Amino acid sequence: MQILTGRQIYKHFKEYSGKELSLCGWVKSNRDSRDFGFLVINDGTFFEPIQIVYEKKLTNFNQIKKLSVGTAVIVKGVLAETPDARQPFEIQASSIEVEGESPSDYPLQKKRHSFEYLRTIAHLRPRANIFQAVYRVRSLIAYAIHKFFMERDFIYVHTPIISGQDCEGAGEMFQVTTLDLKELSEGKKLDYREDFFEKETNLTVSGQLNGEAFAQAFRNIYTFGPTFRAEESNTTRHAAEFWMIEPEMAFADLEDNMLLAESMIKYIIHYVLEQAPEEMKFFHQFVDKGLLDRLHHVAESEFARITYTEAVEILKQHNDKFQYPVSWGTDLQTEHERYLTEKVYKKPVFVTDYPKEIKAFYMKQNPDGKTVAAVDLLVPGIGEIIGGSQREDDLEKLQKRMEELQMNLSDYDFYMDLRKYGSTRHSGFGLGFERMVMYVTGMANIRDVIPFPRTVGKCEY
Amino acid sequence: MQILTGRQIYKHFKEYSGKELSLCGWVKSNRDSRDFGFLVINDGTFFEPIQIVYEKKLTNFNQIKKLSVGTAVIVKGVLAETPDARQPFEIQASSIEVEGESPSDYPLQKKRHSFEYLRTIAHLRPRANIFQAVYRVRSLIAYAIHKFFMERDFIYVHTPIISGQDCEGAGEMFQVTTLDLKELSEGKKLDYREDFFEKETNLTVSGQLNGEAFAQAFRNIYTFGPTFRAEESNTTRHAAEFWMIEPEMAFADLEDNMLLAESMIKYIIHYVLEQAPEEMKFFHQFVDKGLLDRLHHVAESEFARITYTEAVEILKQHNDKFQYPVSWGTDLQTEHERYLTEKVYKKPVFVTDYPKEIKAFYMKQNPDGKTVAAVDLLVPGIGEIIGGSQREDDLEKLQKRMEELQMNLSDYDFYMDLRKYGSTRHSGFGLGFERMVMYVTGMANIRDVIPFPRTVGKCEY
């Protein structure tokens, strides 16, 4: 007999009513009295567990009575609807087979554990309710993103993880090497011709430049892959390894970029609300009280739009409220971003046209000579969630800017070629995947939305 | 006016018939006579290009006449059906705007280029017909895989890229470090406490062990991420960076594993044949003459099953045909695998129960004491495309095998825990993504199915 999943049983319990079926899972709790007992199990495919009723007639009744939390079992039984109970049905067991026992030192006993403790058992924490919800929603968001872009005929591009690009100004990078560090430290000469790629290489910080090459061939593309920063910041929002989504569109300006970002955010929220109502209710109740209201509001708002210069004018009037006062030319801090989106607009805001000095070399220079066609999307509760721009498509202007910044032009030959041969206005943005997961779940620490997080000093499992 | 995609126009050309629309793209060819001309353009969203008819009445007629291959244009015009022509419609231009010119040294002139040459312009080759087809199919296969697993309620898990696991026997690995190699070579002492993670770390070779932890919580999971091998093999089938899909199922044995692998392969093939008929026809005509017949045959066959021991018995009878003769205990070579699937069975074959000495430590030991519950899937034209196994779920047996292999058990504490707490029979396999892309497209060199390939001595772009 096929072993059904918990999700299959929940979705179709009316059809299974009165019928015998097989299911499996891990024991969440076990209550017994003299002649019968209740085993609550979950196989991880559905947020709600399933209650198994077992009676003395089972040949292994005495074994089952003693089963402890975490034990894996396979159950045969008849589904009975229980319209008056909290659960819509239960299973009356005809057999319960023990698949794998769980000794009493099982670290996930039925009680509340701190996030700090659960981080020390990252291989077991996915079995805890809250992480069942987090990782299922993480998986659904990933799929929503693919689905969104595929429905719009974007091409998914795997940009390289190991990079030979010089990537100035991208912050600290991890080096990738096959050279023997022990030998080096013992006096061997450093010669990159002996390294695997015969040059210095590092882990990518962004797939954008490669993505642009593909947008100039397929018009609409996106990347979705891991990126890396070797920053020593030990905060709740920094991880050394995280995933990023970077769409890029040829024949598209900043306006098209904002339309795409707004539709994508709304699409993801709708998809998760629809596909994981049980998990979202749980987050709303136990993790972040305002969550569902905030998400519904965002999904239904028309996002506001404002230039950086206008934003600075508004914020300057409230400089007494900020740790860092605002003036034209300084970058916006999270406190400013949140003030704009939470107090001023009470909904998501696109801020555009930032001073060129605080933005990357590749952003399109505006006619005013001072600003570039950048756009950040700020959302309530978090601040910046997306950063993007229209790209400089004029070869001369791009070269001039790179020279001003004393960049090594010869490292960017391929990138220049994209402006030389059939250049187009084009735009794109980056969405930090983990930031989106935190936003949708209300989880406050990036370590708790990544399966096995990598942060400074931590690379376990 | 919204600029439609080539795909939108092709899919709905009957609705657009006689109407004015906007489109864009890069010039593929330009033929003019005195009073009119034909511009063929493609925006990369659909395999077939679109023909634009332009006449002398255009104010920039003389400019348009001279446009060269690779130029980016935006066109307004009326769609006219052309039922007698090769293309079902053409656009009669009312305006053609030049978005970005392409000088005459554009490297992709309208002629046949060798793959070797195109590899030297990896940033421009996606504009060539064949790479339009390769990368679109690559993108579709990625999506088909996500769709397949999501429809079956699998959880997508991002296993770590940077690994601290010791991973013995996995072959050459890339080291990841923030230590300064120059300083080391100049006499600085090697001290991993100063490295970012305060220990030696490397790029992952497989997400399986981490994936198993998630299968023991969610029952059915899969990974889809980059993996790395620092092997110096300079062959048509080895890349240093490639993507891998690794499903893992709790409460599942080798039989369930084979059922999943067979459905997945068939699902991918059906999806691509349905979504990219133009591209697949092109591969069949110009890349691999038998391609479509082979894929249709695979999609409709019931895969054969045979044990390693039976396979050796069959192959031994043909040892005169092989470079490496077969005997029980040796690993099967590609020549043997292809013989089995192409000559003996003429369809895909699962080979199971290999000698434990030639397989990994984590595979489930069979009662015979000699073999393990491994399974490889062999397909015509390529040999092994999937490798998997049921995993050893018995803590004692696993420990004993690891001790035999002199592995450092303390590195695998978390992996042992999965056998200690609620262990289940469980199974999974790995599919090399690029190998699947090669199989579906008929492309013979892995360098030509990866956007920016990384191979020994090569890390460009």
PDB file of all heavy atoms in Angstrom, chain A residues 385-399:
ATOM      1  N   ILE A 385      14.620  46.722   0.395  1.00  0.00           N
ATOM      2  CA  ILE A 385      14.518  45.291   0.082  1.00  0.00           C
ATOM      3  C   ILE A 385      15.022  45.000  -1.319  1.00  0.00           C
ATOM      4  O   ILE A 385      15.433  43.883  -1.621  1.00  0.00           O
ATOM      5  CB  ILE A 385      13.075  44.762   0.304  1.00  0.00           C
ATOM      6  CG1 ILE A 385      13.059  43.233   0.318  1.00  0.00           C
ATOM      7  CG2 ILE A 385      12.106  45.314  -0.727  1.00  0.00           C
ATOM      8  CD1 ILE A 385      11.823  42.653   0.951  1.00  0.00           C
ATOM      9  N   ILE A 386      15.027  46.020  -2.170  1.00  0.00           N
ATOM     10  CA  ILE A 386      15.500  45.871  -3.548  1.00  0.00           C
ATOM     11  C   ILE A 386      16.355  47.072  -3.898  1.00  0.00           C
ATOM     12  O   ILE A 386      16.035  48.196  -3.512  1.00  0.00           O
ATOM     13  CB  ILE A 386      14.288  45.793  -4.512  1.00  0.00           C
ATOM     14  CG1 ILE A 386      13.739  44.366  -4.569  1.00  0.00           C
ATOM     15  CG2 ILE A 386      14.642  46.264  -5.916  1.00  0.00           C
ATOM     16  CD1 ILE A 386      12.511  44.215  -5.448  1.00  0.00           C
ATOM     17  N   GLY A 387      17.472  46.829  -4.604  1.00  0.00           N
ATOM     18  CA  GLY A 387      18.270  47.927  -5.147  1.00  0.00           C
ATOM     19  C   GLY A 387      18.486  47.677  -6.619  1.00  0.00           C
ATOM     20  O   GLY A 387      18.814  46.552  -6.998  1.00  0.00           O
ATOM     21  N   GLY A 388      18.276  48.693  -7.434  1.00  0.00           N
ATOM     22  CA  GLY A 388      18.456  48.483  -8.861  1.00  0.00           C
ATOM     23  C   GLY A 388      18.799  49.766  -9.576  1.00  0.00           C
ATOM     24  O   GLY A 388      19.003  50.808  -8.934  1.00  0.00           O
ATOM     25  N   SER A 389      18.847  49.696 -10.883  1.00  0.00           N
ATOM     26  CA  SER A 389      19.124  50.902 -11.671  1.00  0.00           C
ATOM     27  C   SER A 389      18.879  50.638 -13.141  1.00  0.00           C
ATOM     28  O   SER A 389      18.804  49.493 -13.573  1.00  0.00           O
ATOM     29  CB  SER A 389      20.578  51.343 -11.498  1.00  0.00           C
ATOM     30  OG  SER A 389      21.465  50.436 -12.123  1.00  0.00           O
ATOM     31  N   GLN A 390      18.745  51.734 -13.879  1.00  0.00           N
ATOM     32  CA  GLN A 390      18.971  51.654 -15.317  1.00  0.00           C
ATOM     33  C   GLN A 390      20.483  51.697 -15.468  1.00  0.00           C
ATOM     34  O   GLN A 390      21.179  52.351 -14.687  1.00  0.00           O
ATOM     35  CB  GLN A 390      18.294  52.835 -16.026  1.00  0.00           C
ATOM     36  CG  GLN A 390      18.369  52.704 -17.537  1.00  0.00           C
ATOM     37  CD  GLN A 390      17.458  53.689 -18.263  1.00  0.00           C
ATOM     38  OE1 GLN A 390      16.519  54.231 -17.673  1.00  0.00           O
ATOM     39  NE2 GLN A 390      17.730  53.920 -19.539  1.00  0.00           N
ATOM     40  N   ARG A 391      21.026  50.943 -16.458  1.00  0.00           N
ATOM     41  CA  ARG A 391      22.476  50.850 -16.589  1.00  0.00           C
ATOM     42  C   ARG A 391      22.968  51.881 -17.600  1.00  0.00           C
ATOM     43  O   ARG A 391      22.266  52.203 -18.568  1.00  0.00           O
ATOM     44  CB  ARG A 391      22.875  49.457 -17.066  1.00  0.00           C
ATOM     45  CG  ARG A 391      22.140  48.295 -16.452  1.00  0.00           C
ATOM     46  CD  ARG A 391      22.142  48.258 -14.956  1.00  0.00           C
ATOM     47  NE  ARG A 391      21.577  46.991 -14.441  1.00  0.00           N
ATOM     48  CZ  ARG A 391      21.400  46.741 -13.162  1.00  0.00           C
ATOM     49  NH1 ARG A 391      21.664  47.649 -12.223  1.00  0.00           N
ATOM     50  NH2 ARG A 391      20.901  45.580 -12.775  1.00  0.00           N
ATOM     51  N   GLU A 392      24.176  52.341 -17.401  1.00  0.00           N
ATOM     52  CA  GLU A 392      24.768  53.241 -18.403  1.00  0.00           C
ATOM     53  C   GLU A 392      24.974  52.458 -19.689  1.00  0.00           C
ATOM     54  O   GLU A 392      25.693  51.454 -19.706  1.00  0.00           O
ATOM     55  CB  GLU A 392      26.102  53.796 -17.895  1.00  0.00           C
ATOM     56  CG  GLU A 392      26.715  54.814 -18.830  1.00  0.00           C
ATOM     57  CD  GLU A 392      25.745  55.958 -19.136  1.00  0.00           C
ATOM     58  OE1 GLU A 392      25.565  56.854 -18.288  1.00  0.00           O
ATOM     59  OE2 GLU A 392      25.146  55.922 -20.255  1.00  0.00           O
ATOM     60  N   ASP A 393      24.306  52.893 -20.777  1.00  0.00           N
ATOM     61  CA  ASP A 393      24.446  52.160 -22.034  1.00  0.00           C
ATOM     62  C   ASP A 393      25.308  52.908 -23.045  1.00  0.00           C
ATOM     63  O   ASP A 393      25.526  52.429 -24.149  1.00  0.00           O
ATOM     64  CB  ASP A 393      23.065  51.855 -22.626  1.00  0.00           C
ATOM     65  CG  ASP A 393      22.178  53.076 -22.666  1.00  0.00           C
ATOM     66  OD1 ASP A 393      22.566  54.078 -23.299  1.00  0.00           O
ATOM     67  OD2 ASP A 393      21.099  53.041 -22.051  1.00  0.00           O
ATOM     68  N   ASP A 394      25.805  54.088 -22.654  1.00  0.00           N
ATOM     69  CA  ASP A 394      26.645  54.881 -23.545  1.00  0.00           C
ATOM     70  C   ASP A 394      28.109  54.563 -23.245  1.00  0.00           C
ATOM     71  O   ASP A 394      28.593  54.804 -22.129  1.00  0.00           O
ATOM     72  CB  ASP A 394      26.339  56.366 -23.308  1.00  0.00           C
ATOM     73  CG  ASP A 394      27.120  57.269 -24.239  1.00  0.00           C
ATOM     74  OD1 ASP A 394      28.377  57.237 -24.198  1.00  0.00           O
ATOM     75  OD2 ASP A 394      26.492  58.003 -25.000  1.00  0.00           O
ATOM     76  N   LEU A 395      28.793  53.991 -24.239  1.00  0.00           N
ATOM     77  CA  LEU A 395      30.164  53.520 -24.034  1.00  0.00           C
ATOM     78  C   LEU A 395      31.085  54.624 -23.522  1.00  0.00           C
ATOM     79  O   LEU A 395      31.844  54.430 -22.566  1.00  0.00           O
ATOM     80  CB  LEU A 395      30.705  52.937 -25.346  1.00  0.00           C
ATOM     81  CG  LEU A 395      32.109  52.336 -25.299  1.00  0.00           C
ATOM     82  CD1 LEU A 395      32.205  51.220 -24.280  1.00  0.00           C
ATOM     83  CD2 LEU A 395      32.525  51.822 -26.672  1.00  0.00           C
ATOM     84  N   GLU A 396      30.982  55.811 -24.121  1.00  0.00           N
ATOM     85  CA  GLU A 396      31.887  56.911 -23.734  1.00  0.00           C
ATOM     86  C   GLU A 396      31.664  57.348 -22.291  1.00  0.00           C
ATOM     87  O   GLU A 396      32.607  57.530 -21.524  1.00  0.00           O
ATOM     88  CB  GLU A 396      31.655  58.120 -24.635  1.00  0.00           C
ATOM     89  CG  GLU A 396      32.661  58.208 -25.756  1.00  0.00           C
ATOM     90  CD  GLU A 396      32.367  59.426 -26.626  1.00  0.00           C
ATOM     91  OE1 GLU A 396      32.353  60.551 -26.086  1.00  0.00           O
ATOM     92  OE2 GLU A 396      32.101  59.233 -27.835  1.00  0.00           O
ATOM     93  N   LYS A 397      30.394  57.532 -21.934  1.00  0.00           N
ATOM     94  CA  LYS A 397      30.090  57.969 -20.567  1.00  0.00           C
ATOM     95  C   LYS A 397      30.531  56.926 -19.542  1.00  0.00           C
ATOM     96  O   LYS A 397      31.036  57.261 -18.479  1.00  0.00           O
ATOM     97  CB  LYS A 397      28.580  58.215 -20.412  1.00  0.00           C
ATOM     98  CG  LYS A 397      28.116  59.505 -21.049  1.00  0.00           C
ATOM     99  CD  LYS A 397      26.656  59.762 -20.691  1.00  0.00           C
ATOM    100  CE  LYS A 397      26.103  60.928 -21.502  1.00  0.00           C
ATOM    101  NZ  LYS A 397      24.642  60.913 -21.560  1.00  0.00           N
ATOM    102  N   LEU A 398      30.322  55.664 -19.888  1.00  0.00           N
ATOM    103  CA  LEU A 398      30.707  54.594 -18.966  1.00  0.00           C
ATOM    104  C   LEU A 398      32.221  54.591 -18.758  1.00  0.00           C
ATOM    105  O   LEU A 398      32.706  54.552 -17.624  1.00  0.00           O
ATOM    106  CB  LEU A 398      30.249  53.240 -19.526  1.00  0.00           C
ATOM    107  CG  LEU A 398      30.580  52.019 -18.668  1.00  0.00           C
ATOM    108  CD1 LEU A 398      29.818  52.041 -17.350  1.00  0.00           C
ATOM    109  CD2 LEU A 398      30.268  50.719 -19.419  1.00  0.00           C
ATOM    110  N   GLN A 399      32.950  54.675 -19.872  1.00  0.00           N
ATOM    111  CA  GLN A 399      34.418  54.684 -19.791  1.00  0.00           C
ATOM    112  C   GLN A 399      34.911  55.849 -18.963  1.00  0.00           C
ATOM    113  O   GLN A 399      35.782  55.703 -18.105  1.00  0.00           O
ATOM    114  CB  GLN A 399      35.014  54.796 -21.189  1.00  0.00           C
ATOM    115  CG  GLN A 399      35.294  53.442 -21.796  1.00  0.00           C
ATOM    116  CD  GLN A 399      35.919  53.532 -23.169  1.00  0.00           C
ATOM    117  OE1 GLN A 399      35.895  54.601 -23.804  1.00  0.00           O
ATOM    118  NE2 GLN A 399      36.453  52.431 -23.636  1.00  0.00           N
TER     119      GLN A 399
END
